[in-house]
Amino acid sequence: SQQGEEDPQALSIQEGENATMNCSYKTSINNLQWYRQNSGRGLVHLILIRSNEREKHSGRLRVTLDTSKKSSSLLITASRAADTASYFCATGTDKLIFGTGTRLQVFP
Amino acid sequence: GAGVSQSPSNKVTEKGKDVELRCDPISGHTALYWYRQRLGQGLEFLIYFQGNSAPDKSGLPSDRFSAERTGESVSTLTIQRTQQEDSAVYLCASSFGTGGNTGELFFGEGSRLTVL
C-alpha cells in the first residue's frame, strides 16, 4: 500500500498563479521528499525536508512539514507552463515509498 | 555514466515470454531500487538492494518476478512468463543509501514494457 497520498489528484491553474499540493503519510519519518515527473520520463528530486524541520525553500518551491499531523505541502509560486508535471511525495527509511501523485497542469 | 541508465527503453513482448530489464546505477551508489508504474498511476515499490543484497523483496508481485545485482553495480529485473497485467514502465533508481535514512534517489528514464 502507498505510504503517502497526495491531494488534490489533479490541479489546473493559469501561469503566474500559485500551486499547492498536499501529502499525508502514515508512519514516523526521518525525512520527506518531493519529486517531479514529466510525462513519460523518470522522476527528478526537488527537495528533502527532515523531520526536525518545519519549512524549507528552494527557488520558487516552498515545502512545509507537520509531523504532528503527518502531512506536508508543496507550494510552487508564480507557476509557469513548464511546471506542468506530476508531483510525488515520498517517505521511508531503508526504502522510499511514493504517494499517488498530483497532476499539475499550468495553462499559458 | 553520469546518470542512471536503463535498457531497453521500450520492450514489446508476447504473453508467456520472459523479459530482462537492465539498470546501470550511478557509480558509487550502494543502494538500488526498482519500481513499477502503470499508466496514470503512482510508483509501486518492487525491491531494493543494499550492495548486492536485497533486504526487502516485499514488493515483488509474484514468483514470476526476480532481481539480482552484481558487483554492487548493474541490476537485472527478470519477469518470467509475462502476463498482460505486467505491462508498465519499470523505473530504476540509485542512491548513496545510508541505511535507515534514505536520501535523494536518482532515477533512470525507465523501461516501458508492453505485453501483447
Side-chain angles (χ1 to χ4, degrees):
Chain A
S1 62
Q2 301 287 357
Q3 163 73 314
E5 292 191 3
E6 281 90 342
D7 168 58
Q9 289 188 329
L11 180 62
S12 295
I13 59 174
Q14 295 291 132
E15 264 190 328
E17 294 180 339
N18 295 342
T20 300
M21 290 159 268
N22 303 295
C23 166
S24 60
Y25 57 91
K26 298 175 183 175
T27 63
S28 297
I29 60 170
N30 292 331
N31 64 59
L32 184 142
Q33 304 181 37
W34 284 90
Y35 287 78
R36 165 194 168 124
Q37 183 180 36
N38 283 31
S39 180
R41 306 294 298 274
L43 279 73
V44 175
H45 180 264
L46 294 176
I47 196 165
L48 180 153
I49 185 166
R50 303 194 185 284
S51 59
N52 62 354
E53 297 176 308
R54 292 295 168 261
E55 188 170 310
K56 198 162 184 179
H57 296 250
S58 177
R60 292 184 297 112
L61 305 180
R62 181 171 77 100
V63 169
T64 62
L65 179 64
D66 186 336
T67 53
S68 67
K69 295 181 180 178
K70 291 187 168 57
S71 67
S72 174
S73 68
L74 170 67
L75 168 68
I76 303 174
T77 60
S79 63
R80 305 166 182 168
D83 294 329
T84 294
S86 291
Y87 293 83
F88 296 88
C89 67
T91 62
T93 52
D94 294 321
K95 64 188 184 189
L96 212 56
I97 303 298
F98 286 77
T100 50
T102 293
R103 291 184 302 280
L104 174 66
Q105 174 92 51
V106 181
F107 291 98
Chain B
V4 177
S5 177
Q6 291 188 246
S7 61
S9 55
N10 278 287
K11 175 73 176 178
V12 180
T13 190
E14 292 179 346
K15 177 181 173 181
K17 295 284 180 68
D18 297 352
V19 296
E20 283 191 354
L21 307 176
R22 176 187 168 107
C23 174
D24 279 279
I26 292 172
S27 178
H29 280 190
T30 57
L32 185 148
Y33 307 79
W34 283 99
Y35 294 88
R36 179 169 73 177
Q37 186 176 34
R38 292 198 168 102
L39 187 64
Q41 306 281 314
L43 274 70
E44 178 186 0
F45 170 80
L46 297 179
I47 187 171
Y48 99 96
F49 290 89
Q50 185 63 41
N52 293 331
S53 300
D56 192 334
K57 304 178 183 179
S58 63
L60 293 177
S62 73
D63 59 8
R64 296 187 296 104
F65 287 72
S66 63
E68 64 174 16
R69 188 182 185 194
T70 56
E72 296 197 0
S73 179
V74 172
S75 176
T76 303
L77 177 68
T78 301
I79 309 173
Q80 296 179 308
R81 306 181 302 282
T82 52
Q83 303 295 311
Q84 288 182 332
E85 66 259 27
D86 299 335
S87 295
V89 175
Y90 290 82
L91 291 162
C92 176
S94 69
S95 74
F96 285 110
T98 55
N101 193 17
T102 304
E104 176 183 352
L105 265 58
F106 294 81
F107 279 83
E109 296 289 27
S111 291
R112 182 178 299 276
L113 175 65
T114 303
V115 182
L116 302 176

